[in-house]
Amino acid sequence: MEINSIPFLFMDASKLRRELHEYIDQADERIIRLMHGMLKADQELPADQKALLDERLKEYYSHPREVLTLQEMQAKYSSKNEPGSSI
């Protein structure tokens, strides 16, 4: 199998598909789970998640200066977690 070599990059889809089938048939569970995870991660976001991200991005672009840095967030929320404070 040529998956780890340059010719792999130039295979046509049918040959690549056959080689992947052969590889999957011989792969252990860890490799199969990794491949499955890559395929799932490559799928489109669900509409509600995409809408939420679009909404947050729009809010950011309309008020770009109203953003806290990581350090500001940590300072703000760590002081609220001190003994005697309420969140």
Side-chain angles (χ1 to χ4, degrees):
M1 194 176 325
E2 301 177 39
I3 287 183
N4 293 323
S5 63
I6 298 298
F8 170 74
L9 299 174
F10 302 104
M11 284 186 210
D12 65 22
S14 62
K15 183 174 181 184
L16 184 58
R17 195 173 281 116
R18 281 191 306 273
E19 287 204 16
L20 284 171
H21 277 285
E22 290 172 17
Y23 185 77
I24 290 169
D25 288 342
Q26 298 170 17
D28 64 15
E29 182 178 351
R30 183 184 70 86
I31 296 296
I32 292 170
R33 289 187 183 280
L34 286 170
M35 293 177 77
H36 183 259
M38 288 189 311
L39 292 169
K40 294 294 279 183
D42 192 44
Q43 294 177 355
E44 179 99 11
L45 284 174
D48 60 331
Q49 289 180 0
K50 186 175 183 329
L52 179 60
L53 290 173
D54 288 343
E55 179 183 322
R56 289 178 180 174
L57 193 57
K58 181 179 174 183
E59 180 68 23
Y60 167 76
Y61 283 129
S62 64
H63 307 287
R65 300 212 179 252
E66 295 178 15
V67 176
L68 298 177
T69 66
L70 175 60
Q71 292 78 15
E72 291 168 332
M73 290 287 289
Q74 289 171 333
K76 179 178 179 177
Y77 289 103
S78 67
S79 65
K80 289 184 178 184
N81 290 329
E82 292 177 2
S85 67
S86 62
I87 295 178

